[in-house]
Amino acid sequence: MQDPREAFDLDGRIAVVTGAGSGIGRASAVMLAGAGASVVCADLDGDAAKATAGTITDGGGAAEATAVNVSQSPEVDDLVNRARRDHGHLDVMCNIAGIMHNSLVVDTEDADLDRVLAVNLKGVFYGCRAAARVMTEQGFGSIINMSSGAIDTPAPTIVCYAIAKAGVAQMTKTLAVEVGPHGVRVNAIAPGWIVTGMTGRHFTNPDGTIDEERFNAVSAPMRNAAPLGRVGEPDDIAYAVLYLASDASSFVTGQILRPNGGLSIP
Ligand code: NAP
């Protein structure tokens, strides 16, 4: 048996993380680097990506930053191909960038649907495709896609988001079947309700501080419905990313992992 600490050791591994400028992507980039990986931090906001890479390098880890718009396939191809060219291989691809949009189906504009699908569905597809091309050729790699608990729990106003995330789950299963024989694993994570910029817009003051009263009011339904009695932090998801990136999950592919405090148990 492999030493358990070695099984989670990412020393010498190269990881690309999209959405690394904030929230779950940022926590995942820091987590992977903490386990020894060299991380390419990519985000629409290049300065935010740089800040994450700076946190990693300040702590003695290895990271670089780049701006990318995941809805543009040439940019995603370039991100992945550059990582492989610069480092010689690509071990981990985390497709984490995502956006939220709220509207009832009857009120949804074509442009809103297009925008959400372009980032949350096609952006993940582009990341999967680019990484799968590189990883099947080299004969190893782990692709990790960010889905959502929204695939299990229908809720009003999140239709664009939910159908994109359901597509991510199905994309994950299909790709896992295609690339497994080439030594490549593909899994998705469907987080519960996590305190990040995405959810924070409901309880963050204009100066960036958290309005505790609004936070408690907004998070109470999720907290109270979860058997573990709390909502999640970005690190709760980053630990799942670490597991799926590491040798500890070497027998795991095509799965949807649900770190959600038990909020939904399908
Ligand atoms: P977040 O804090 O808003 O982080 C999302 C990051 O993605 C931001 O840095 C954002 O940059 C970036 N991004 C947006 N559009 C992009 C694009 N076109 N190209 C590249 N980067 C882009 O949100 P989060 O909660 O950490 O979300 C991370 C992922 O987890 C998302 O896929 C989300 O759907 C998923 N998720 C979140 C929750 C939750 O409760 N928070 C639950 C389930 C799933 P900008 O800030 O510049 O827009």
Side-chain angles (χ1 to χ4, degrees), residues 8-257:
F8 283 94
D9 186 359
L10 299 182
D11 216 15
R13 310 281 171 95
I14 309 302
V16 170
V17 179
T18 72
S22 171
I24 293 169
R26 177 182 164 83
S28 299
V30 172
M31 182 74 70
L32 295 175
S38 178
V39 182
V40 180
C41 302
D43 200 283
L44 189 60
D45 181 342
D47 288 338
K50 266 189 206 145
T52 301
T55 299
I56 292 171
T57 53
D58 288 351
E64 60 206 78
T66 185
V68 71
N69 182 346
V70 298
S71 68
Q72 303 299 316
S73 70
E75 290 190 31
V76 179
D77 286 345
D78 189 50
L79 169 71
V80 169
N81 293 335
R82 248 187 309 129
R84 204 260 179 111
R85 194 183 58 234
D86 293 350
H87 298 279
H89 55 104
L90 174 65
D91 301 277
V92 182
M93 177 72 192
C94 300
N95 295 303
I96 298 182
I99 56 174
M100 175 55 89
H101 168 75
N102 292 100
S103 62
L104 295 170
V105 171
V106 292
D107 296 329
T108 300
E109 305 281 352
D110 291 1
D112 295 325
L113 178 61
D114 288 346
R115 188 168 48 86
V116 175
L117 294 183
V119 177
N120 291 8
L121 183 63
K122 292 173 82 174
V124 174
F125 182 90
Y126 298 146
C128 279
R129 184 176 62 187
R133 284 174 176 160
V134 165
M135 289 175 174
T136 52
E137 193 192 311
Q138 67 188 14
F140 58 87
S142 172
I143 298 173
I144 302 163
N145 296 327
M146 207 48 64
S147 180
S148 168
I151 67 174
D152 299 319
T153 314
T157 82
I158 60 167
V159 64
C160 301
Y161 182 84
I163 59 179
K165 294 298 185 180
V168 167
Q170 196 58 31
M171 186 191 319
T172 298
K173 295 175 189 179
T174 304
L175 185 60
V177 173
E178 290 184 2
V179 300
H182 302 280
V184 180
R185 299 185 296 109
V186 192
N187 292 285
I189 298 172
W193 201 84
I194 312 299
V195 181
T196 68
M198 185 175 280
T199 47
R201 65 206 163 99
H202 300 299
F203 49 80
T204 305
N205 296 316
D207 66 359
T209 57
I210 287 187
D211 180 326
E212 289 295 338
E213 205 172 309
R214 267 160 62 214
F215 170 71
N216 285 328
V218 170
S219 61
M222 275 69 68
R223 206 173 48 243
N224 295 337
L228 293 184
R230 68 173 178 92
V231 295
E233 297 293 333
D235 277 352
D236 290 315
I237 309 309
Y239 281 120
V241 169
L242 170 61
Y243 169 65
L244 292 174
S246 73
D247 293 349
S249 62
S250 61
F251 194 47
V252 179
T253 198
Q255 303 303 308
I256 315 297
L257 192 56

